[in-house]
Amino acid sequence: MAALTTPPGRSVAPPPPDVPPTPDVRAMPVAPPTPVAPPTPGVRPGTSEAAPLPPVPEWRRVVSIVIVVLLAGTAGLAFDGVFTLGALIPVVAVAAIVPGVVSYALARILPLWASLAVNLLAWLIAVSATLFRTQALAGFLPSPASVRAALLGVRDSGKALLTTILPAEGDGRTIVLAHFLVWAAAVAGTELALRTRAVVLPAAPAVPVLAAAVVLGVSGPGSQLPTPAVLVGLALLLALVRAARAARTFAAGVPLLAVLVLIAVAAGPVLPFASKPYDVRRLVAQPPPRPLAGVSPLDQVSAWLQNPYRQLFTVKSTTEANWRLAVLDRFDGVAWTSGAGYLPTGGRVPGDDVVGAHDVVEQQFTLQKLPGPWLPAADRPQQVTFTGPAPDSAAGLMADPATGMLASAAATAREGITYRVISGIRRYSAAELREAVPAADQAALALPNGPDGRTPPQRARLATIARKATAGATSPMQQAVRLAAYLRKHAQYDVNSPPGHSYRSIQFFLTEAKKGTTEQFAASYALLARSLGLPSRVVVGFGPGKAEGGGVRQVLAGDVLAWAEVEFKGIGWVPFYPTPARSHAGQSGDVAEGVSKQRQEVEQEISGEHADPATTPSPHRPTPQPSPRQTGHGAGTTWLPVAGAVAGGLLGGYLLAVTVLPPLRRRRRRTGDPRARVAGAWRQTVVRLRAAGVPASSRVLTAREVATLGVTALGTHAYEPLTGLADLANLTRFSDAPADQEAADMAWRHYANIDLLVRRKIALPRRLAHRLAPGSLLH
């Protein structure tokens, strides 16, 4: 703070020629302050002459509205984690642009309440015409049904979106929330820009829209990281347009803002919260996953094989693959069933991300006589959309996040349904599988007792067969490979074999009949693998089918195929094919039904390995964990993300401090007794004069000297408020006369005039630089 006394032996510098000399206030009699009337609208505080604010140029109004519309639209596009961009863009465009145009057209002819009422009516009309497409009254007015649907949609869509696999379907019942929020932000921002002189306030309504999008879309596929940076850049641009007094200020500020936005976008991914943002869905009670009733596909294998020419579906794909239908992970001693729970989805299939080498395969299915609710697809599905006649959208598409299984709630009238699937099909290498460690999945290792609660004798027999089949295997992966080869070699494929996959049926298949369908081969493999400590499950699907030209394949009932999967840590579920090829049954364990040539070569390489027992894991002793370098996890955190996170945290903390501390300090200076309030107004004025280049921090300047330097920097219009405030500061400091609240109010009105002059005189970049300087934290 500037000193208020004059050092001995030093005279006060004379005022400029156009400023009248100031008498020595210490030699003047102290008179009580003159009562000051409250400020009059249109009259500049602290002056006697009327000084109405100049009218805002029309170009500033128009550009401000354009920026507000962009702010609302950008915040609305953050919903890309909730809806697909194709469904979102037209909705956001209408909701951001229309209210901006309506408010601009009505601002000069209607009061605020009337403009808001017209905007509400316009929103209902737009919602009825674009989202619900209901019949309008009088050709354009929304019907009561559409009004009710819109209001209920705004009320209920948030909860629906929090309990749906994202992205959700962009129908009116869900996307109406984004439409409403963007429309409301555009209306509020436009009205604030047109009816107030606030600099940044018109940007505030876009913030709740962004917050809602982030909360609802954390678990979705989109990324909101660039959106906050763009919003901040647009808000600063809005402030520049509304506060800049010269064209050169605007021209210099725009490139600076662009650079800041680019830096923020680039730094976003390294922030600590960027990789794993908090998902508010954890706080929401999710509805229980919906189980699907119906005959297990494994129980239908024999029936399909007895009618092998029944057309089930066609698939168009450039890749020959097996089409997975259902995953069965629970065994009760009698039958394999599925514990999958299905959730509605707008197309994305969440769950295990496809890691490692894989092929992205696109398929288009058309259902024919395929029974049940399940939908076939190549494993593992990532995206699915209906492209032809689809079931009722209220039933819609469902997916099991754990297994990736697809289903439609409409179990009837499925013939002719067409849908498109994008899958990631894994390619495994011998090096990747060689040291694989079984996952610790107790549910996938369960071998239950019989219905009477006793241990069935068949279970011990299965363990004996499993150890015999894998004798000499030196790793869990060798066990899994040799087990499949054993079944292919020691049993025959027979489509006329009786159905069944209970303990008793499997023992009969392995020890006596040694003939069975793909049902028995897959079920036997899963039980034998569990007896060895390999977590397993059964998968039912179909082979590639018969090529019919143009990439289309016809899949028949006779193409049904079951296989097993074993779960390995860090790799996931790896398929194994124990069913022998029908034309080579019983001849060689190397020929499997449904296995690719590349996978067959990998299994042969693993099965034929003869590793050193001293260095190779034994199936009878714990397998050593792969090193962090082998797994790729925990291989050492690089310094760059850590440094970026620390730098981002420090920068964010500093920006928060320079943003929050000065307003808090100003608020504190405005409170207290009148003498403290006058002193606070002078201190705050000294801070503002520093932004104008006045060396007010010198401790050898009197208040009058500071005022003189301020007049020189700001012009003669600053003479009256500066000298008046300097006199009040001197009176309260050196005079015994008590100060009252009117004097304190006058001091802060002087400060308001000085602050306005600084804003008009000093360019925005220079004021921002002063605000961001470390010295702003100390004064």
Side-chain angles (χ1 to χ4, degrees), residues 643-668:
V646 172
L650 293 176
L651 178 60
Y654 179 78
L655 292 177
L656 180 65
V658 298
T659 303
V660 174
L661 289 182
L664 291 179
R665 191 180 292 116
R666 182 172 62 249
R667 173 186 285 265
R668 188 178 68 251

Side-chain angles (χ1 to χ4, degrees), residues 134 143-150:
T134 55
S143 64
S146 64
V147 172
R148 176 179 174 80

Side-chain angles (χ1 to χ4, degrees), residues 118-134 136-137 139-143 146-147 179 183:
V118 173
N119 267 294
L120 177 60
L121 178 62
W123 176 73
L124 291 172
I125 294 173
V127 166
S128 301
T130 59
L131 298 185
F132 297 102
R133 294 179 174 85
T134 55
L137 301 177
F140 69 96
L141 293 177
S143 64
S146 64
V147 172
H179 192 279
W183 192 291

Side-chain angles (χ1 to χ4, degrees), residues 638-734:
T638 60
W639 64 269
L640 185 59
V642 175
V646 172
L650 293 176
L651 178 60
Y654 179 78
L655 292 177
L656 180 65
V658 298
T659 303
V660 174
L661 289 182
L664 291 179
R665 191 180 292 116
R666 182 172 62 249
R667 173 186 285 265
R668 188 178 68 251
R669 288 168 176 168
R670 294 183 73 105
T671 59
D673 60 82
R675 185 179 293 271
R677 291 185 63 204
V678 172
W682 176 249
R683 293 190 187 98
Q684 195 65 32
T685 299
V686 170
V687 172
R688 293 302 286 154
L689 290 177
R690 289 193 182 96
V694 176
S697 60
S698 175
R699 297 185 178 277
V700 296
L701 295 179
T702 65
R704 268 306 184 125
E705 289 176 319
V706 171
T708 302
L709 294 175
V711 172
T712 304
L714 300 179
T716 56
H717 291 289
Y719 174 77
E720 183 174 348
L722 274 173
T723 55
L725 182 55
D727 290 344
L728 285 173
N730 283 330
L731 286 173
T732 56
R733 183 174 179 83
F734 300 109

